[in-house]
Amino acid sequence: MRPGLQTALKRLYHMRKRAWLLLIIITLGVLLAWFDLRDTHTVSPDPAARADEPGHVADHATLALYDDSGQLTQQLTSPRITHTPQQSMTRLDTPHATLIDSEQNEWHASANEGTLDGEQQQLMLSGDAHLVAPNEGWQLDTQVLYYDSQTAHAWSDSPALLQQPPQRIRAQRLDAWLDTGKVRLTDRVRGHHPPVAASAEETP
């Protein structure tokens, strides 16, 4: 065999070998890309993860709630309100709530955090929660306070302090009905009721 022909055959062999290697690499690349694309299309979003995603965030906002007749029942103000529509839940930072009873009297509530359940129309205030009745002259202090706007019922299952100076009453549970102004304290009720000072008699 001529040397030139032998050299040409060797070059052809090496070229065919390189071409096969290149074809194998290209085939592997196409297969990997197809598998990645298939995995991307087949992976469905996690419903639980999506349920925790906030849908709306508002800074320095006011949220007003009305009853079926169009009467204002609550007004919530907060430096930051986060609403999650999948859970019908609204979270509020350092909220201040104005609660309005059937006689249009205003009651004021505040706390470190707040959560409003849109379906149940129930407000939860947690962390140094306070409820003040300006017309009644008393204030409630507790850690977790719940309020149902449909029944105008506020309650706390955590230790609560009810103050109407100079009187103070502590209890493990407290219920307050805003429409009637009735307050009920239960479990380990302890109170401080200083005697009322007798008024001085008028001198002639």
Side-chain angles (χ1 to χ4, degrees), residues 7-204:
T7 303
L9 290 174
K10 286 182 178 180
R11 288 180 180 175
L12 181 61
Y13 172 76
H14 287 300
M15 290 178 62
R16 291 181 62 185
K17 187 176 181 181
R18 289 176 183 174
W20 275 108
L21 288 175
L22 183 61
L23 181 61
I24 292 173
I25 292 172
I26 293 174
T27 304
L28 288 175
V30 172
L31 287 174
L32 290 175
W34 182 75
F35 281 127
D36 288 341
L37 185 62
R38 184 181 178 185
D39 290 341
T40 303
H41 285 298
T42 54
V43 174
S44 58
D46 185 3
R50 291 191 62 188
D52 293 332
E53 294 178 357
H56 310 283
V57 178
D59 292 332
H60 305 288
T62 299
L63 180 64
L65 302 178
Y66 299 85
D67 60 15
D68 295 336
S69 63
Q71 292 290 333
L72 181 65
T73 59
Q74 286 186 57
Q75 185 167 288
L76 305 170
T77 60
S78 168
R80 189 173 184 84
I81 295 177
T82 304
H83 178 63
T84 307
Q86 293 86 351
Q87 298 178 346
S88 189
M89 195 72 65
T90 303
R91 292 176 174 80
L92 308 101
D93 295 343
T94 58
H96 181 276
T98 301
L99 313 176
I100 302 173
D101 61 22
S102 58
E103 300 297 326
Q104 298 300 300
N105 297 314
E106 293 186 356
W107 308 62
H108 302 290
S110 60
N112 295 336
E113 298 178 353
T115 302
L116 177 64
D117 186 336
E119 293 183 355
Q120 302 295 327
Q121 291 293 303
Q122 188 177 105
L123 175 67
M124 182 184 74
L125 300 173
S126 59
D128 292 330
H130 308 286
L131 177 63
V132 179
N135 295 340
E136 306 294 332
W138 57 258
Q139 175 176 322
L140 163 69
D141 302 313
T142 186
Q143 282 301 309
V144 181
L145 178 69
Y146 298 91
Y147 179 69
D148 187 337
S149 63
Q150 296 178 341
T151 58
H153 176 209
W155 72 95
S156 175
D157 293 322
S158 56
L161 171 64
L162 179 65
Q163 301 183 72
Q164 191 174 24
Q167 303 179 63
R168 299 191 304 275
I169 306 175
R170 297 182 182 274
Q172 292 297 112
R173 178 181 171 88
L174 180 141
D175 293 89
W177 290 269
L178 273 57
D179 285 343
T180 61
K182 179 182 177 182
V183 178
R184 182 176 66 191
L185 298 163
T186 53
D187 297 336
R188 300 181 184 178
V189 180
R190 302 182 305 277
H192 174 70
H193 306 277
V196 179
S199 59
E201 295 181 1
E202 295 182 0
T203 58

